[in-house]
Amino acid sequence: MMSDKMIDSLVDDLTPVKPLRARNGLALTLVIAAVFAVAVAVFGGLRGDILMGIPHPMFFLRAGALLLLGVTSSYAVIAMSQPAVGNSFKGWVWALLAALLFPATAIVMAMMAAPDNMAILVPRYGLECLGISMLLGTGIAATQVMWLRRGAPVALNRAGWLVGMSSGALGAAAYSLHCPFNSIFYVGLWYSLAVVLCAVVGRLVVPHLIRW
């Protein structure tokens, strides 16, 4: 009898918790990324080739790789809000390998290119790309962190890497609507650097914010 009363007292204050659905978290992340993309288009302006209706092939390759990496790693982040063993989503690994083709190609071509062909690496434009991509990524990362805090992630360090990588990729994808440069050197350096730095910041900061 005493044990029944103790159990009743323990559960009296409990309230049902609505389960987290991965598709809702991913949808929220993508909506925020889309809002930032629209903001870039409105306040920064679209690339000239997009306005003319003839986007350069590099735009599709760059944006496609960033979106693929951003979406797959975002799904991995959202899935981590529900602790599980042995069934973590690994699709982001293949997307990362595909995205690495850009810096790898840039390095190979840099070894073969004349110095004049690399003038596009001038920091004036690259730092703008880097800064805005990371700023947009911060807003996306905040959304993912709030979602993870509602759940119970257990691999905190991996979550930090993935939050940073996914938000950096989506932030860079949003900025790519404005960025007018198509050089493989530019893409391989500045866009890769944006994703890498966001991943490092995510690893250093995010685990402290989602610890439970």
Side-chain angles (χ1 to χ4, degrees):
M1 181 67 68
M2 180 63 70
S3 61
D4 291 339
K5 289 183 178 179
M6 290 180 62
I7 293 174
D8 290 338
S9 65
L10 290 173
V11 301
D12 280 343
D13 296 332
L14 296 180
T15 56
V17 176
K18 186 177 180 180
L20 295 176
R21 298 187 182 276
R23 65 174 180 268
N24 294 340
L26 181 61
L28 178 61
T29 297
L30 296 182
V31 166
I32 297 300
V35 169
F36 286 149
V38 171
V40 168
V42 171
F43 296 105
L46 290 172
R47 289 166 48 108
D49 55 352
I50 294 179
L51 291 175
M52 291 187 293
I54 48 172
H56 192 279
M58 178 58 78
F59 167 75
F60 289 112
L61 292 172
R62 177 179 67 198
L66 290 169
L67 285 174
L68 182 62
L69 178 60
V71 171
T72 54
S73 52
S74 290
Y75 183 83
V77 168
I78 299 304
M80 293 181 72
S81 62
Q82 299 175 328
V85 177
N87 61 348
S88 57
F89 179 71
K90 299 292 186 182
W92 62 270
V93 176
W94 298 104
L96 177 60
L97 292 175
L100 287 174
L101 289 174
F102 285 90
T105 302
I107 291 172
V108 172
M109 291 187 65
M111 292 190 226
M112 302 164 40
D116 290 343
N117 294 333
M118 299 180 63
I120 198 64
L121 297 183
V122 60
R124 173 186 171 189
Y125 302 108
L127 291 176
E128 176 182 321
C129 168
L130 180 63
I132 296 178
S133 295
M134 294 186 68
L135 180 62
L136 298 176
T138 299
I140 298 169
T143 302
Q144 295 180 343
V145 166
M146 287 189 293
W147 184 270
L148 287 175
R149 285 174 62 88
R150 295 176 56 194
V154 292
L156 303 185
N157 292 338
R158 187 170 69 215
W161 285 118
L162 288 172
V163 166
M165 184 171 64
S166 62
S167 60
L170 291 176
Y175 178 74
S176 71
L177 291 171
H178 166 76
C179 178
F181 299 114
N182 300 312
S183 167
I184 187 64
F185 302 123
Y186 186 93
V187 175
L189 174 61
W190 297 110
Y191 280 86
S192 300
L193 194 57
V195 176
V196 169
L197 289 180
C198 282
V200 172
V201 173
R203 167 61 182 85
L204 295 175
V205 175
V206 170
H208 301 288
L209 301 178
I210 62 174
R211 197 178 303 276
W212 54 285

